[in-house]
Amino acid sequence: MMNFNQKMILNGKNIEISKIELNECDLLVIDKSQKYCFKVCVKYNWKDIDNIKIGENKSIDFNEYCLSENNESALIWPSNRYVEKISDDLIYFYFEFKDIHNTVCYMNKRECFDIDLNSLEVKVSIDYRDASNVAIIYEF
């Protein structure tokens, strides 16, 4: 796997990545502590992703962006996002969420997380040659 500086930065702090999984429905990124999970529903956008030309990046609105803390989820909406095709086999996902606290929709009874959500930035690269069964899984 080619490493494109995989990152998960929450509120300006790099919380590092322990696992990346891309399957036919979702892109999942889990932090080192396994407290936070970022999920993007990619199921409906495969045609958009497949149509990107090598060297091109394309802003794609995915159906759902979700951040979970201790398995409690919140819907968030990106301020910037794109997918770049590096080669026939390598794609790069970039998501940036600024001022999350203004738009977050918590899906728990407390209507909050343990921390105040301000920003999130996620950068991951996926190499199709690493596919096994119907998923690509990287563990760090």
Side-chain angles (χ1 to χ4, degrees):
M1 177 190 93
M2 188 176 205
N3 188 336
F4 263 92
N5 204 13
Q6 318 280 19
K7 286 187 180 178
M8 187 170 181
I9 301 170
L10 181 62
N11 292 343
K13 181 182 176 195
N14 186 355
I15 58 174
E16 300 182 18
I17 295 172
S18 68
K19 182 177 182 181
I20 299 169
E21 179 178 340
L22 178 65
N23 58 50
E24 62 184 20
C25 295
D26 300 310
L27 169 65
L28 300 164
V29 181
I30 301 170
D31 79 310
K32 281 280 190 205
S33 72
Q34 298 186 2
K35 183 175 183 175
Y36 296 98
C37 177
F38 173 66
K39 175 182 158 188
V40 179
C41 178
V42 297
K43 180 177 185 176
Y44 307 103
N45 298 91
W46 280 115
K47 184 177 177 185
D48 297 330
I49 294 169
D50 291 338
N51 286 334
I52 299 173
K53 295 179 173 84
I54 295 172
E56 176 184 51
N57 71 41
K58 185 175 181 179
S59 179
I60 297 176
D61 286 327
F62 292 97
N63 190 46
E64 185 176 279
Y65 307 84
C66 194
L67 180 65
S68 297
E69 178 189 71
N70 297 321
N71 294 319
E72 294 184 325
S73 297
L75 293 172
I76 54 178
W77 190 255
S79 47
N80 188 15
R81 75 262 170 243
Y82 65 85
V83 179
E84 183 175 356
K85 188 175 245 181
I86 306 300
S87 69
D88 282 333
D89 298 316
L90 188 65
I91 58 174
Y92 176 73
F93 290 91
Y94 177 78
F95 304 97
E96 181 180 35
F97 302 82
K98 294 180 179 176
D99 298 323
I100 296 174
H101 59 276
N102 292 329
T103 60
V104 65
C105 178
Y106 293 99
M107 296 184 287
N108 61 15
K109 288 182 182 181
R110 297 183 299 140
E111 295 186 4
C112 67
F113 281 172
D114 293 340
I115 62 165
D116 290 327
L117 287 179
N118 294 312
S119 64
L120 176 68
E121 184 177 14
V122 178
K123 303 175 186 182
V124 295
S125 57
I126 304 290
D127 191 331
Y128 288 134
R129 295 172 293 189
D130 295 330
S132 175
N133 296 323
V134 294
I136 299 169
I137 300 173
Y138 301 121
E139 296 187 76
F140 305 96

